[in-house]
Amino acid sequence: MVTDLDMGIEILGILTQREDDGLALSSRNIYLAPEDRARAVALPRALGVAERAIAKGGDADAALEQAREMLAAAGFEVDYVALADAETLGEPRPGHPLRLLAAARIGGTRLIDNIPVNTNDHG
């Protein structure tokens, strides 16, 4: 939107702030029951597994499916796990940075997360 509307604003991305166990810091975390909070760490772990597979040149669809399966096994209802162009959040474009995006519910809480894909790590 900033680019499309020529707003003259620079957006700076920063790393997601995380709990010690990897769960993204969020006001939503207070709604997690203790047992759901313990299982919630599956979200960043599943994204990490998919990221490493894709970064090594693995099949992205298979990596995304594995992440969905990991989340389901932890008790999540998965809304989506997707690979996107890091700049546009649209379809991945060859030679452009990538991000993994996820949204899933555990208990009554919908959690979201995203991580960059390190495509410079092919060896």
Side-chain angles (χ1 to χ4, degrees), residues 78-96:
V78 179
D79 292 334
Y80 61 83
V81 176
L83 184 64
D85 180 283
E87 183 179 319
T88 67
L89 299 181
E91 290 296 318
R93 300 176 291 169
H96 287 255

Side-chain angles (χ1 to χ4, degrees), residues 16-18 22-29 32 40 43-44 47 71 76 79-80 100-106 109-115:
T16 300
Q17 299 299 301
R18 297 187 178 276
L23 187 66
L25 286 176
S26 171
S27 59
R28 298 176 190 195
N29 295 350
L32 293 168
L43 183 56
L47 287 177
L71 292 171
F76 278 91
D79 292 334
Y80 61 83
L100 280 164
L101 314 168
R105 295 178 188 278
I106 191 159
T109 306
R110 184 172 189 256
L111 300 178
I112 58 173
D113 204 345
N114 73 90
I115 62 170

Side-chain angles (χ1 to χ4, degrees), residues 48-66 83 92 98 100 117-123:
V49 167
E51 188 281 330
R52 288 186 293 280
I54 294 167
K56 290 179 182 175
D59 179 71
D61 289 335
L64 295 174
E65 183 58 29
Q66 182 181 13
L83 184 64
L98 302 170
L100 280 164
V117 176
N118 183 1
T119 54
N120 297 326
D121 192 23
H122 287 281

